[in-house]
Amino acid sequence: MALIIKNGTIYTASDSYKADIRVDGEKITQIADKITAGKSDEVIDASGLEIYPGAIDVHTHLDMPFMGTVTADDFESGTIAAACGGTTSFVDFAIPAKGQALRETVKIWHKKAEGKSAVDYGFHIAIVEYNERVASEIPAMIEDGITSFKCFLAYKGSLMVTDGEFIGALDLAKKHGALVSIHAENGEMLAYLANKFTAEGKTGPEYHEASHPAMAEGEAVHRGAVLARMAGVPLYIVHTSCKEALDEIKVAMADQQVIFSETCPQYLLLSNKLYHGNGFEAAKWVMSPPLRDEENNQIMWNAVRDGFVKVIATDHCSFNFKGQKEAGLSSFAKIPNGAPGIGDRVNLIYSHGVAKGKISKNKFAEVMSTNPAKIFG
Ligand SMILES: [Zn+2]
């Protein structure tokens, strides 16, 4: 028995056309002007409806230990939300503890996901330290199908790597044909500002934003791009949020450098006004990078439209307000960083992007599905 979807309009990154679709099992086996359904086939009449490729979310943190707690959504609740919201596959970050073997980390993440996920999934792995052991493990990781390695230039004292370690990762990516991605904020600047505000008794959640200035993101994107250029490898920049970062990306792209930039719905739709006048409720929007101003929201939409941002993912990293975000009642520095989005990305970007004329339907297919698939394979 096949599934036949009839009379819909298909939108891809490059085309829009009316056609029927045949699905056998989990595979699309035919797209044609007219497909005649057999007796036992299930038929969906999609007259007047738009059909897009399944959305791919390449930036999630499910069941992840972080800042003294574990993200609220696991591979069951998070992926049910994904499926309900039109996301049919995702790539989660496996993050090793320092000293932990990469293969061991991936095993742990497979265990978290096994038998629980409602949709297809893959993993990136984070490089939280670089030494001979890590270097020797990377070829095996690539053989296992994990070809994307993330370096944090922020979170000093936990996930952050030094420039030397980052260069080591870039060098290995060059040797083995892998892709390196970065969390681009200057971790030293962030740590300095957080300590300074804390010492001054400025501990409310609004100081999270103040301790993550846009210039720290711009600086890290610049540094990341220059080091990737030196190493001769492409670079993927996760959760780009502001003009300062985009300006650096545009300079590198104008120089023919291969830079893939990702943004997330929160940097398109929410502004830093939420950090003010909401008391401790503002902790709900404590994430890194923080929300920027409304001008930056528009700048990010334009960057998606104009092709400077290639992917919209979520950075889904959910914490309950009660019992988790509340860990930061005494200081913004203790609020677990992150917010949810895996179930809402498709609807949000369609409603606020396509329906409001900010991006085309083809661009929607491109940044939600086609580019993520092409970049991460
Ligand atoms: Zn993230």
Side-chain angles (χ1 to χ4, degrees):
M1 187 188 102
L3 170 70
I4 314 287
I5 304 169
K6 292 186 75 70
N7 309 317
T9 305
I10 296 172
Y11 292 91
T12 69
S14 53
D15 296 302
S16 318
Y17 55 99
K18 272 199 172 353
D20 294 349
I21 300 172
R22 179 188 177 90
V23 184
D24 282 292
E26 292 199 355
K27 254 204 179 118
I28 293 172
T29 50
Q30 190 184 10
I31 298 176
D33 281 352
K34 282 272 166 273
I35 298 174
T36 309
K39 257 195 186 153
S40 62
D41 292 340
E42 182 189 348
V43 177
I44 295 175
D45 181 8
S47 297
L49 300 179
E50 298 167 8
I51 301 174
Y52 293 90
I56 303 167
D57 189 347
V58 294
H59 190 157
T60 67
H61 301 283
L62 299 175
D63 200 356
M64 178 188 72
F66 188 53
M67 293 183 76
T69 183
V70 178
T71 52
D73 274 320
D74 66 4
F75 281 80
E76 185 174 4
S77 60
T79 62
I80 289 171
C84 290
T87 290
T88 52
S89 56
F90 67 100
V91 190
D92 197 81
F93 285 95
I95 301 189
K98 283 208 169 140
Q100 189 175 47
L102 301 186
R103 185 161 265 170
E104 177 63 22
T105 308
V106 173
K107 238 190 219 165
I108 291 169
W109 251 259
H110 271 297
K111 228 183 195 158
K112 289 173 191 275
E114 249 164 40
K116 283 191 177 172
S117 183
V119 297
D120 294 335
Y121 60 90
F123 297 121
H124 315 277
I125 194 156
I127 302 292
V128 298
E129 60 191 332
Y130 183 83
N131 49 39
E132 275 182 23
R133 175 185 58 75
V134 172
S136 71
E137 282 191 279
I138 283 182
M141 286 291 99
I142 293 171
E143 248 167 57
D144 287 354
I146 295 174
T147 57
S148 141
F149 299 87
K150 179 175 181 183
C151 292
F152 290 85
L153 305 188
Y155 299 118
K156 187 182 178 189
S158 59
L159 301 170
M160 187 171 98
V161 291
T162 64
D163 284 356
E165 290 175 305
F166 176 45
I167 290 170
L170 291 169
D171 193 42
L172 271 182
K174 171 85 175 169
K175 251 184 221 146
H176 301 288
L179 179 64
V180 173
S181 66
I182 53 170
H183 174 133
E185 288 184 288
N186 183 315
E188 294 288 351
M189 284 171 77
L190 273 42
Y192 164 77
L193 289 169
N195 289 336
K196 177 175 164 297
F197 290 131
T198 304
E200 291 167 359
K202 297 170 176 168
T203 55
E206 67 274 25
Y207 287 98
H208 171 76
E209 183 206 0
S211 64
H212 287 251
M215 70 173 100
E217 189 176 336
E219 188 282 329
V221 169
H222 174 78
R223 184 160 34 106
V226 170
L227 295 178
R229 188 183 314 158
M230 178 196 73
V233 289
L235 185 68
Y236 184 93
I237 296 163
V238 303
H239 51 46
T240 308
S241 74
C242 61
K243 179 177 186 297
E244 283 77 353
L246 269 176
D247 284 348
E248 299 294 344
I249 288 162
K250 288 177 182 176
V251 167
M253 286 174 84
D255 218 15
Q256 308 305 317
Q257 197 175 344
V258 181
I259 299 256
F260 305 112
S261 165
E262 164 199 290
T263 193
C264 311
Q266 55 270 33
Y267 304 118
L268 298 162
L269 301 172
L270 299 178
S271 89
N272 56 0
K273 282 185 181 157
L274 289 165
Y275 294 122
H276 305 280
N278 281 315
F280 188 71
E281 288 261 314
K284 292 176 180 173
W285 300 287
V286 164
M287 60 187 84
S288 298
L291 302 176
R292 306 297 188 187
D293 60 20
E294 283 167 2
E295 199 184 330
N296 270 301
N297 292 158
Q298 191 52 50
I299 287 169
M300 293 311 300
W301 274 119
N302 293 346
V304 173
R305 181 197 63 200
D306 297 340
F308 295 109
V309 167
K310 301 289 185 200
V311 172
I312 299 178
T314 61
D315 196 8
H316 181 90
C317 189
S318 58
F319 296 103
N320 295 319
F321 184 71
K322 289 264 166 232
Q324 290 193 296
K325 288 283 185 180
E326 282 176 345
L329 272 167
S330 63
S331 166
F332 69 90
K334 293 181 185 157
I335 301 170
N337 284 206
I342 197 169
D344 300 310
R345 177 182 60 129
V346 175
N347 289 333
L348 287 172
I349 299 305
Y350 190 92
S351 302
H352 295 277
V354 177
K356 291 185 179 170
K358 287 191 163 72
I359 56 170
S360 70
K361 291 171 182 175
N362 302 106
K363 178 59 78 175
F364 176 74
E366 182 187 333
V367 295
M368 303 293 277
S369 189
T370 311
N371 283 344
K374 280 185 177 170
I375 294 169
F376 293 103

PDB file of all heavy atoms in Angstrom, residues 211-241:
ATOM      1  N   SER A 211      26.028  41.420  29.516  1.00  0.00           N
ATOM      2  CA  SER A 211      27.333  40.745  29.537  1.00  0.00           C
ATOM      3  C   SER A 211      27.603  39.958  28.246  1.00  0.00           C
ATOM      4  O   SER A 211      28.620  39.282  28.135  1.00  0.00           O
ATOM      5  CB  SER A 211      27.445  39.831  30.766  1.00  0.00           C
ATOM      6  OG  SER A 211      26.490  38.799  30.695  1.00  0.00           O
ATOM      7  N   HIS A 212      26.670  40.040  27.293  1.00  0.00           N
ATOM      8  CA  HIS A 212      26.870  39.379  25.989  1.00  0.00           C
ATOM      9  C   HIS A 212      26.711  40.394  24.858  1.00  0.00           C
ATOM     10  O   HIS A 212      25.799  40.283  24.036  1.00  0.00           O
ATOM     11  CB  HIS A 212      25.853  38.249  25.793  1.00  0.00           C
ATOM     12  CG  HIS A 212      26.108  37.030  26.616  1.00  0.00           C
ATOM     13  ND1 HIS A 212      26.542  35.836  26.088  1.00  0.00           N
ATOM     14  CD2 HIS A 212      25.997  36.835  27.958  1.00  0.00           C
ATOM     15  CE1 HIS A 212      26.680  34.948  27.062  1.00  0.00           C
ATOM     16  NE2 HIS A 212      26.354  35.523  28.203  1.00  0.00           N
ATOM     17  N   PRO A 213      27.560  41.426  24.800  1.00  0.00           N
ATOM     18  CA  PRO A 213      27.357  42.469  23.789  1.00  0.00           C
ATOM     19  C   PRO A 213      27.560  41.937  22.367  1.00  0.00           C
ATOM     20  O   PRO A 213      28.287  40.959  22.156  1.00  0.00           O
ATOM     21  CB  PRO A 213      28.428  43.505  24.136  1.00  0.00           C
ATOM     22  CG  PRO A 213      29.483  42.737  24.851  1.00  0.00           C
ATOM     23  CD  PRO A 213      28.777  41.632  25.594  1.00  0.00           C
ATOM     24  N   ALA A 214      26.914  42.620  21.419  1.00  0.00           N
ATOM     25  CA  ALA A 214      27.017  42.203  20.015  1.00  0.00           C
ATOM     26  C   ALA A 214      28.469  42.226  19.534  1.00  0.00           C
ATOM     27  O   ALA A 214      28.857  41.429  18.684  1.00  0.00           O
ATOM     28  CB  ALA A 214      26.140  43.109  19.152  1.00  0.00           C
ATOM     29  N   MET A 215      29.275  43.139  20.097  1.00  0.00           N
ATOM     30  CA  MET A 215      30.674  43.208  19.636  1.00  0.00           C
ATOM     31  C   MET A 215      31.428  41.914  19.969  1.00  0.00           C
ATOM     32  O   MET A 215      32.355  41.522  19.262  1.00  0.00           O
ATOM     33  CB  MET A 215      31.388  44.435  20.224  1.00  0.00           C
ATOM     34  CG  MET A 215      31.661  44.364  21.701  1.00  0.00           C
ATOM     35  SD  MET A 215      32.666  45.745  22.274  1.00  0.00           S
ATOM     36  CE  MET A 215      31.419  46.809  22.990  1.00  0.00           C
ATOM     37  N   ALA A 216      31.006  41.229  21.039  1.00  0.00           N
ATOM     38  CA  ALA A 216      31.664  39.961  21.393  1.00  0.00           C
ATOM     39  C   ALA A 216      31.363  38.896  20.344  1.00  0.00           C
ATOM     40  O   ALA A 216      32.186  38.020  20.063  1.00  0.00           O
ATOM     41  CB  ALA A 216      31.201  39.490  22.769  1.00  0.00           C
ATOM     42  N   GLU A 217      30.157  38.987  19.755  1.00  0.00           N
ATOM     43  CA  GLU A 217      29.798  38.040  18.693  1.00  0.00           C
ATOM     44  C   GLU A 217      30.546  38.394  17.399  1.00  0.00           C
ATOM     45  O   GLU A 217      31.089  37.516  16.724  1.00  0.00           O
ATOM     46  CB  GLU A 217      28.277  38.055  18.475  1.00  0.00           C
ATOM     47  CG  GLU A 217      27.802  36.954  17.537  1.00  0.00           C
ATOM     48  CD  GLU A 217      26.276  36.900  17.398  1.00  0.00           C
ATOM     49  OE1 GLU A 217      25.560  37.352  18.309  1.00  0.00           O
ATOM     50  OE2 GLU A 217      25.810  36.406  16.356  1.00  0.00           O
ATOM     51  N   GLY A 218      30.570  39.695  17.091  1.00  0.00           N
ATOM     52  CA  GLY A 218      31.283  40.131  15.885  1.00  0.00           C
ATOM     53  C   GLY A 218      32.749  39.742  15.936  1.00  0.00           C
ATOM     54  O   GLY A 218      33.317  39.236  14.959  1.00  0.00           O
ATOM     55  N   GLU A 219      33.364  39.934  17.102  1.00  0.00           N
ATOM     56  CA  GLU A 219      34.793  39.609  17.251  1.00  0.00           C
ATOM     57  C   GLU A 219      35.036  38.122  17.015  1.00  0.00           C
ATOM     58  O   GLU A 219      35.975  37.731  16.314  1.00  0.00           O
ATOM     59  CB  GLU A 219      35.276  40.006  18.659  1.00  0.00           C
ATOM     60  CG  GLU A 219      36.784  39.899  18.859  1.00  0.00           C
ATOM     61  CD  GLU A 219      37.284  38.479  19.075  1.00  0.00           C
ATOM     62  OE1 GLU A 219      36.548  37.636  19.643  1.00  0.00           O
ATOM     63  OE2 GLU A 219      38.426  38.190  18.661  1.00  0.00           O
ATOM     64  N   ALA A 220      34.174  37.287  17.592  1.00  0.00           N
ATOM     65  CA  ALA A 220      34.396  35.833  17.481  1.00  0.00           C
ATOM     66  C   ALA A 220      34.141  35.339  16.058  1.00  0.00           C
ATOM     67  O   ALA A 220      34.833  34.435  15.578  1.00  0.00           O
ATOM     68  CB  ALA A 220      33.515  35.094  18.479  1.00  0.00           C
ATOM     69  N   VAL A 221      33.155  35.939  15.377  1.00  0.00           N
ATOM     70  CA  VAL A 221      32.916  35.549  13.981  1.00  0.00           C
ATOM     71  C   VAL A 221      34.133  35.930  13.141  1.00  0.00           C
ATOM     72  O   VAL A 221      34.620  35.145  12.317  1.00  0.00           O
ATOM     73  CB  VAL A 221      31.635  36.214  13.415  1.00  0.00           C
ATOM     74  CG1 VAL A 221      31.558  36.028  11.900  1.00  0.00           C
ATOM     75  CG2 VAL A 221      30.398  35.626  14.076  1.00  0.00           C
ATOM     76  N   HIS A 222      34.652  37.137  13.383  1.00  0.00           N
ATOM     77  CA  HIS A 222      35.833  37.587  12.633  1.00  0.00           C
ATOM     78  C   HIS A 222      37.005  36.625  12.849  1.00  0.00           C
ATOM     79  O   HIS A 222      37.624  36.151  11.900  1.00  0.00           O
ATOM     80  CB  HIS A 222      36.225  38.998  13.082  1.00  0.00           C
ATOM     81  CG  HIS A 222      37.500  39.479  12.471  1.00  0.00           C
ATOM     82  ND1 HIS A 222      37.571  39.954  11.180  1.00  0.00           N
ATOM     83  CD2 HIS A 222      38.772  39.515  12.947  1.00  0.00           C
ATOM     84  CE1 HIS A 222      38.823  40.273  10.894  1.00  0.00           C
ATOM     85  NE2 HIS A 222      39.569  40.012  11.946  1.00  0.00           N
ATOM     86  N   ARG A 223      37.258  36.326  14.121  1.00  0.00           N
ATOM     87  CA  ARG A 223      38.390  35.446  14.462  1.00  0.00           C
ATOM     88  C   ARG A 223      38.185  34.059  13.853  1.00  0.00           C
ATOM     89  O   ARG A 223      39.091  33.474  13.267  1.00  0.00           O
ATOM     90  CB  ARG A 223      38.508  35.368  15.990  1.00  0.00           C
ATOM     91  CG  ARG A 223      39.678  34.571  16.508  1.00  0.00           C
ATOM     92  CD  ARG A 223      39.996  34.951  17.964  1.00  0.00           C
ATOM     93  NE  ARG A 223      38.811  35.296  18.735  1.00  0.00           N
ATOM     94  CZ  ARG A 223      38.254  34.513  19.674  1.00  0.00           C
ATOM     95  NH1 ARG A 223      38.778  33.350  19.962  1.00  0.00           N
ATOM     96  NH2 ARG A 223      37.175  34.909  20.334  1.00  0.00           N
ATOM     97  N   GLY A 224      36.965  33.551  13.996  1.00  0.00           N
ATOM     98  CA  GLY A 224      36.666  32.228  13.448  1.00  0.00           C
ATOM     99  C   GLY A 224      36.879  32.193  11.945  1.00  0.00           C
ATOM    100  O   GLY A 224      37.476  31.253  11.402  1.00  0.00           O
ATOM    101  N   ALA A 225      36.408  33.238  11.274  1.00  0.00           N
ATOM    102  CA  ALA A 225      36.508  33.277   9.813  1.00  0.00           C
ATOM    103  C   ALA A 225      37.967  33.370   9.372  1.00  0.00           C
ATOM    104  O   ALA A 225      38.384  32.686   8.427  1.00  0.00           O
ATOM    105  CB  ALA A 225      35.709  34.459   9.270  1.00  0.00           C
ATOM    106  N   VAL A 226      38.743  34.192  10.072  1.00  0.00           N
ATOM    107  CA  VAL A 226      40.155  34.353   9.692  1.00  0.00           C
ATOM    108  C   VAL A 226      40.916  33.040   9.905  1.00  0.00           C
ATOM    109  O   VAL A 226      41.699  32.607   9.049  1.00  0.00           O
ATOM    110  CB  VAL A 226      40.806  35.505  10.502  1.00  0.00           C
ATOM    111  CG1 VAL A 226      42.319  35.513  10.310  1.00  0.00           C
ATOM    112  CG2 VAL A 226      40.212  36.848  10.079  1.00  0.00           C
ATOM    113  N   LEU A 227      40.660  32.388  11.033  1.00  0.00           N
ATOM    114  CA  LEU A 227      41.382  31.136  11.306  1.00  0.00           C
ATOM    115  C   LEU A 227      40.956  30.038  10.326  1.00  0.00           C
ATOM    116  O   LEU A 227      41.779  29.236   9.883  1.00  0.00           O
ATOM    117  CB  LEU A 227      41.164  30.707  12.763  1.00  0.00           C
ATOM    118  CG  LEU A 227      41.766  31.670  13.804  1.00  0.00           C
ATOM    119  CD1 LEU A 227      41.463  31.210  15.223  1.00  0.00           C
ATOM    120  CD2 LEU A 227      43.270  31.826  13.614  1.00  0.00           C
ATOM    121  N   ALA A 228      39.670  30.026   9.959  1.00  0.00           N
ATOM    122  CA  ALA A 228      39.207  29.031   8.977  1.00  0.00           C
ATOM    123  C   ALA A 228      39.828  29.310   7.609  1.00  0.00           C
ATOM    124  O   ALA A 228      40.167  28.387   6.867  1.00  0.00           O
ATOM    125  CB  ALA A 228      37.681  29.053   8.883  1.00  0.00           C
ATOM    126  N   ARG A 229      39.988  30.599   7.297  1.00  0.00           N
ATOM    127  CA  ARG A 229      40.620  30.949   6.015  1.00  0.00           C
ATOM    128  C   ARG A 229      42.072  30.472   6.007  1.00  0.00           C
ATOM    129  O   ARG A 229      42.549  29.898   5.041  1.00  0.00           O
ATOM    130  CB  ARG A 229      40.569  32.469   5.796  1.00  0.00           C
ATOM    131  CG  ARG A 229      41.020  32.878   4.396  1.00  0.00           C
ATOM    132  CD  ARG A 229      41.027  34.388   4.223  1.00  0.00           C
ATOM    133  NE  ARG A 229      39.811  34.992   4.747  1.00  0.00           N
ATOM    134  CZ  ARG A 229      39.702  36.262   5.125  1.00  0.00           C
ATOM    135  NH1 ARG A 229      40.731  37.070   5.033  1.00  0.00           N
ATOM    136  NH2 ARG A 229      38.571  36.732   5.590  1.00  0.00           N
ATOM    137  N   MET A 230      42.761  30.702   7.133  1.00  0.00           N
ATOM    138  CA  MET A 230      44.150  30.248   7.232  1.00  0.00           C
ATOM    139  C   MET A 230      44.235  28.727   7.045  1.00  0.00           C
ATOM    140  O   MET A 230      45.100  28.217   6.337  1.00  0.00           O
ATOM    141  CB  MET A 230      44.732  30.628   8.594  1.00  0.00           C
ATOM    142  CG  MET A 230      46.156  30.142   8.792  1.00  0.00           C
ATOM    143  SD  MET A 230      46.660  30.184  10.522  1.00  0.00           S
ATOM    144  CE  MET A 230      45.744  28.810  11.196  1.00  0.00           C
ATOM    145  N   ALA A 231      43.280  28.017   7.677  1.00  0.00           N
ATOM    146  CA  ALA A 231      43.313  26.548   7.604  1.00  0.00           C
ATOM    147  C   ALA A 231      42.800  26.036   6.258  1.00  0.00           C
ATOM    148  O   ALA A 231      42.981  24.871   5.926  1.00  0.00           O
ATOM    149  CB  ALA A 231      42.476  25.961   8.745  1.00  0.00           C
ATOM    150  N   GLY A 232      42.118  26.913   5.516  1.00  0.00           N
ATOM    151  CA  GLY A 232      41.613  26.512   4.198  1.00  0.00           C
ATOM    152  C   GLY A 232      40.409  25.596   4.275  1.00  0.00           C
ATOM    153  O   GLY A 232      40.260  24.667   3.483  1.00  0.00           O
ATOM    154  N   VAL A 233      39.517  25.857   5.263  1.00  0.00           N
ATOM    155  CA  VAL A 233      38.315  25.024   5.400  1.00  0.00           C
ATOM    156  C   VAL A 233      37.063  25.900   5.482  1.00  0.00           C
ATOM    157  O   VAL A 233      37.131  27.057   5.890  1.00  0.00           O
ATOM    158  CB  VAL A 233      38.360  24.140   6.673  1.00  0.00           C
ATOM    159  CG1 VAL A 233      39.375  23.034   6.528  1.00  0.00           C
ATOM    160  CG2 VAL A 233      38.622  24.968   7.920  1.00  0.00           C
ATOM    161  N   PRO A 234      35.907  25.328   5.113  1.00  0.00           N
ATOM    162  CA  PRO A 234      34.649  26.048   5.308  1.00  0.00           C
ATOM    163  C   PRO A 234      34.348  26.175   6.803  1.00  0.00           C
ATOM    164  O   PRO A 234      34.911  25.433   7.615  1.00  0.00           O
ATOM    165  CB  PRO A 234      33.594  25.147   4.649  1.00  0.00           C
ATOM    166  CG  PRO A 234      34.338  24.084   3.931  1.00  0.00           C
ATOM    167  CD  PRO A 234      35.697  24.001   4.532  1.00  0.00           C
ATOM    168  N   LEU A 235      33.476  27.106   7.152  1.00  0.00           N
ATOM    169  CA  LEU A 235      33.100  27.291   8.558  1.00  0.00           C
ATOM    170  C   LEU A 235      31.593  27.478   8.648  1.00  0.00           C
ATOM    171  O   LEU A 235      30.996  28.160   7.812  1.00  0.00           O
ATOM    172  CB  LEU A 235      33.813  28.526   9.120  1.00  0.00           C
ATOM    173  CG  LEU A 235      33.627  28.799  10.615  1.00  0.00           C
ATOM    174  CD1 LEU A 235      34.329  27.727  11.456  1.00  0.00           C
ATOM    175  CD2 LEU A 235      34.180  30.185  10.986  1.00  0.00           C
ATOM    176  N   TYR A 236      30.990  26.871   9.659  1.00  0.00           N
ATOM    177  CA  TYR A 236      29.546  27.018   9.905  1.00  0.00           C
ATOM    178  C   TYR A 236      29.388  27.784  11.210  1.00  0.00           C
ATOM    179  O   TYR A 236      29.986  27.422  12.231  1.00  0.00           O
ATOM    180  CB  TYR A 236      28.907  25.636  10.015  1.00  0.00           C
ATOM    181  CG  TYR A 236      27.393  25.649  10.169  1.00  0.00           C
ATOM    182  CD1 TYR A 236      26.565  25.555   9.055  1.00  0.00           C
ATOM    183  CD2 TYR A 236      26.800  25.736  11.430  1.00  0.00           C
ATOM    184  CE1 TYR A 236      25.178  25.551   9.186  1.00  0.00           C
ATOM    185  CE2 TYR A 236      25.413  25.735  11.573  1.00  0.00           C
ATOM    186  CZ  TYR A 236      24.613  25.637  10.448  1.00  0.00           C
ATOM    187  OH  TYR A 236      23.241  25.628  10.578  1.00  0.00           O
ATOM    188  N   ILE A 237      28.608  28.855  11.174  1.00  0.00           N
ATOM    189  CA  ILE A 237      28.433  29.675  12.379  1.00  0.00           C
ATOM    190  C   ILE A 237      27.016  29.490  12.903  1.00  0.00           C
ATOM    191  O   ILE A 237      26.048  29.827  12.218  1.00  0.00           O
ATOM    192  CB  ILE A 237      28.729  31.152  12.066  1.00  0.00           C
ATOM    193  CG1 ILE A 237      30.204  31.273  11.672  1.00  0.00           C
ATOM    194  CG2 ILE A 237      28.418  32.037  13.267  1.00  0.00           C
ATOM    195  CD1 ILE A 237      30.555  32.533  10.965  1.00  0.00           C
ATOM    196  N   VAL A 238      26.899  28.931  14.099  1.00  0.00           N
ATOM    197  CA  VAL A 238      25.569  28.657  14.653  1.00  0.00           C
ATOM    198  C   VAL A 238      24.956  29.949  15.205  1.00  0.00           C
ATOM    199  O   VAL A 238      25.656  30.917  15.490  1.00  0.00           O
ATOM    200  CB  VAL A 238      25.606  27.563  15.762  1.00  0.00           C
ATOM    201  CG1 VAL A 238      26.227  26.277  15.227  1.00  0.00           C
ATOM    202  CG2 VAL A 238      26.337  28.038  16.995  1.00  0.00           C
ATOM    203  N   HIS A 239      23.681  29.959  15.335  1.00  0.00           N
ATOM    204  CA  HIS A 239      22.862  31.045  15.920  1.00  0.00           C
ATOM    205  C   HIS A 239      23.413  32.470  15.767  1.00  0.00           C
ATOM    206  O   HIS A 239      23.655  33.163  16.747  1.00  0.00           O
ATOM    207  CB  HIS A 239      22.493  30.758  17.379  1.00  0.00           C
ATOM    208  CG  HIS A 239      23.614  30.376  18.320  1.00  0.00           C
ATOM    209  ND1 HIS A 239      24.811  31.033  18.377  1.00  0.00           N
ATOM    210  CD2 HIS A 239      23.672  29.403  19.262  1.00  0.00           C
ATOM    211  CE1 HIS A 239      25.555  30.483  19.314  1.00  0.00           C
ATOM    212  NE2 HIS A 239      24.889  29.486  19.859  1.00  0.00           N
ATOM    213  N   THR A 240      23.555  32.915  14.535  1.00  0.00           N
ATOM    214  CA  THR A 240      23.955  34.303  14.272  1.00  0.00           C
ATOM    215  C   THR A 240      22.799  35.219  14.668  1.00  0.00           C
ATOM    216  O   THR A 240      21.647  34.962  14.311  1.00  0.00           O
ATOM    217  CB  THR A 240      24.260  34.484  12.774  1.00  0.00           C
ATOM    218  OG1 THR A 240      25.190  33.478  12.387  1.00  0.00           O
ATOM    219  CG2 THR A 240      24.837  35.860  12.491  1.00  0.00           C
ATOM    220  N   SER A 241      23.122  36.305  15.407  1.00  0.00           N
ATOM    221  CA  SER A 241      22.021  37.092  15.969  1.00  0.00           C
ATOM    222  C   SER A 241      22.042  38.576  15.621  1.00  0.00           C
ATOM    223  O   SER A 241      21.080  39.277  15.904  1.00  0.00           O
ATOM    224  CB  SER A 241      22.032  36.953  17.501  1.00  0.00           C
ATOM    225  OG  SER A 241      23.102  37.702  18.050  1.00  0.00           O
TER     226      SER A 241
END
